[in-house]
Amino acid sequence: MKYVNYLILVVFAGLMIAASDNLPNRGDANAPANREISPAGSKGAAYYYIQNSKTDSNTDNMVTVILADWRGYDTLGEETVILTAGLICYLLLRKRRKTDDTKR
Amino acid sequence: MTRKDNNPIVSLLSRIVSPFIMLFALYVIFHGHYSPGGGFQGGTMLAAAVLLIRLAAGREISQLQFKKSWGTPVGSVGVFIYFFTGFLALLMGGNYLDYSFLPLGLEAPVTRGWGILSIEIGVGLAVMGILVAIYDDLLEGEPND
Amino acid sequence: MTDYIIGHYAYWFTFILMMIGFYGMTMKKNLVKKLIGMNIFQVSIIIFYVSTAVKWGGTVPVLDLNISIADTSKYINPLQHCLMLTAIVVGVATTGVAFALSISIFKRYKTLDEAVLIERMIKDNESDK
């Protein structure tokens, strides 16, 4: 059984490395993600973000503008996730009262 | 933990260092527009400053700085600030979370900048409150050290 | 060939890190060690995303007056940094929930070892009937 696990690990690693074959070189400024026009013909997101952060939101830090303005819904849902995690920890680990122990 | 005595050096040093960590965290939050930083990083550092006192002085004494029951309410206030900013833009006639409609009386890009600052404050409060609350909940029921 | 290796070796190392995390998740028997493996897996994915944002000769995505934004190859891609910023905090939250669950498991079954835990769960179920 242990050898099957090792085999799965090796096959998974080989699969990932074979899939990384088609990725662009690291640090390539002309990679499809960085172009003005993406290979599908639409406008590239990263190009727009870099060009328009100052004129759209008067903010120098592009990461902040993406986080709070252009992708505000993403951050909103993510913050709800954090709040839910805190509430789950509270509900799991609070001290149970004596009256709750009669029926678990 | 089986530690019985309170080390004065650790206690004094953490008491000196903690306010400065908080000050730098506020700088990271409010200067997030012009330098690397923002709500998540600043909120984590605020939580680190609180947890430093929690670790050094024990949980009973550290209640003077930040009470155990405050964690979840502070996080909820942060999330509420975020929702409220979005709803304010909605009430003033724009889309949800479109900050250029906030009633500040400035040009659209500057208004969006202030809206981003409001969002960052909400995120920072939420992250700080929830991290401290998770730490306190994990130590729930343990003997005080 | 040299270009290919220099352009891709960072991906390979993140995949090795990912396999270490996967090994911890699948083959370790202790629940806390499984959690450590999960965190290593998460960190490897974060490093992979950030490593795809690099542009050689580019600077951090904060506007600098001396560097024109007309040439976007001077700033690295800000999108991955934003996504991973949220992923880190969600990772902290999931780790907190996982530790809370393992604490409540330990309080009830007095063990974190997988095989012993399953035995005790079966025994507990049978005694309930």
Side-chain angles (χ1 to χ4, degrees):
Chain A
M1 195 57 211
K2 217 166 185 180
Y3 296 106
V4 179
N5 272 338
Y6 281 117
L7 189 70
I8 290 174
L9 281 179
V10 171
V11 168
F12 192 20
L15 200 67
M16 297 300 280
I17 288 174
S20 79
D21 191 31
N22 283 330
L23 285 175
N25 282 344
R26 194 170 67 96
D28 186 5
N30 281 322
N34 301 331
R35 285 185 210 152
E36 184 181 4
I37 303 293
S38 71
S42 57
K43 291 218 169 165
Y47 193 87
Y48 181 86
Y49 291 154
I50 292 173
Q51 295 255 312
N52 292 60
S53 71
K54 184 73 173 175
T55 53
D56 266 14
S57 297
N58 194 25
T59 303
D60 292 342
N61 193 347
M62 298 160 197
V63 179
T64 302
V65 184
I66 295 173
L67 185 83
D69 198 343
W70 284 320
R71 288 179 179 256
Y73 275 104
D74 189 5
T75 314
L76 179 62
E78 190 266 339
E79 219 181 303
T80 316
V81 167
I82 303 174
L83 184 67
T84 315
L87 290 179
I88 287 173
C89 280
Y90 174 69
L91 292 174
L92 274 175
L93 294 174
R94 69 178 170 181
K95 281 178 189 158
R96 292 199 175 82
R97 294 195 192 88
K98 289 286 187 232
T99 54
D100 290 345
D101 279 340
T102 55
K103 183 93 166 82
R104 192 191 287 272
Chain B
M1 292 285 215
T2 55
R3 182 163 53 90
K4 289 282 185 277
D5 56 334
N6 229 345
N7 195 333
I9 297 175
V10 172
S11 160
L12 184 66
L13 197 65
S14 65
R15 210 186 306 162
I16 291 173
V17 163
S18 174
F20 288 100
I21 297 178
M22 280 192 179
L23 195 66
F24 186 66
L26 289 178
Y27 164 77
V28 166
I29 289 181
F30 285 98
H31 212 257
H33 284 55
Y34 309 108
S35 65
F40 286 107
Q41 298 93 324
T44 315
M45 287 171 67
L46 277 174
V50 173
L51 294 185
L52 180 64
I53 298 292
R54 284 271 203 284
L55 287 172
R59 275 189 302 154
E60 293 300 320
I61 302 172
S62 65
Q63 302 292 315
L64 297 172
Q65 188 200 21
F66 194 88
K67 280 205 181 354
K68 198 162 69 177
S69 57
W70 288 359
T72 317
V74 167
S76 309
V77 165
V79 178
F80 176 76
I81 289 174
Y82 203 131
F83 271 95
F84 180 73
T85 312
F87 271 117
L88 201 58
L90 190 68
L91 289 177
M92 300 310 288
N95 286 328
Y96 188 64
L97 287 175
D98 188 356
Y99 315 127
S100 55
F101 285 90
L102 290 179
L104 293 179
L106 299 167
E107 305 165 30
V110 185
T111 317
R112 290 172 87 99
W114 285 103
I116 288 173
L117 182 63
S118 153
I119 292 299
E120 297 279 2
I121 292 170
V123 169
L125 280 180
V127 170
M128 174 206 180
I130 295 302
L131 284 185
V132 176
I134 286 177
Y135 176 83
D136 284 339
D137 285 338
L138 288 183
L139 284 187
E140 184 77 29
E142 297 284 318
N144 187 32
D145 63 304
Chain C
M1 189 63 196
T2 320
D3 271 359
Y4 180 80
I5 290 176
I6 289 176
H8 284 71
Y9 76 95
Y11 302 147
W12 299 338
F13 279 108
T14 55
F15 293 148
I16 291 172
L17 202 59
M18 194 183 286
M19 284 315 116
I20 293 172
F22 199 64
Y23 165 80
M25 280 172 77
T26 53
M27 310 209 26
K28 288 294 174 187
K29 298 297 181 200
N30 194 315
L31 291 184
V32 175
K33 287 180 183 173
K34 278 175 190 291
L35 280 183
I36 294 171
M38 190 183 79
N39 267 322
I40 293 174
F41 201 105
Q42 215 164 28
V43 165
S44 80
I45 290 173
I46 289 170
I47 292 174
F48 174 71
Y49 261 74
V50 171
S51 72
T52 58
V54 174
K55 293 174 189 170
W56 295 133
T59 177
V60 289
V62 176
L63 202 64
D64 192 344
L65 290 181
N66 299 321
I67 304 172
S68 159
I69 52 170
D71 184 12
T72 55
S73 67
K74 289 284 184 286
Y75 292 97
I76 61 174
N77 200 335
L79 182 57
Q80 285 95 335
H81 291 259
C82 167
L83 296 178
M84 288 308 108
L85 192 56
T86 61
I88 289 170
V89 182
V90 169
V92 171
T94 52
T95 311
V97 172
F99 274 124
L101 280 173
S102 25
I103 284 175
S104 51
I105 285 174
F106 188 79
K107 270 182 187 164
R108 180 160 173 187
Y109 293 103
K110 302 287 181 240
T111 181
L112 282 177
D113 191 88
E114 212 181 25
V116 184
L117 180 64
I118 290 174
E119 271 178 21
R120 289 187 189 176
M121 276 180 167
I122 291 172
K123 208 195 294 175
D124 218 33
N125 262 340
E126 283 170 353
S127 67
D128 273 358
K129 278 175 190 169

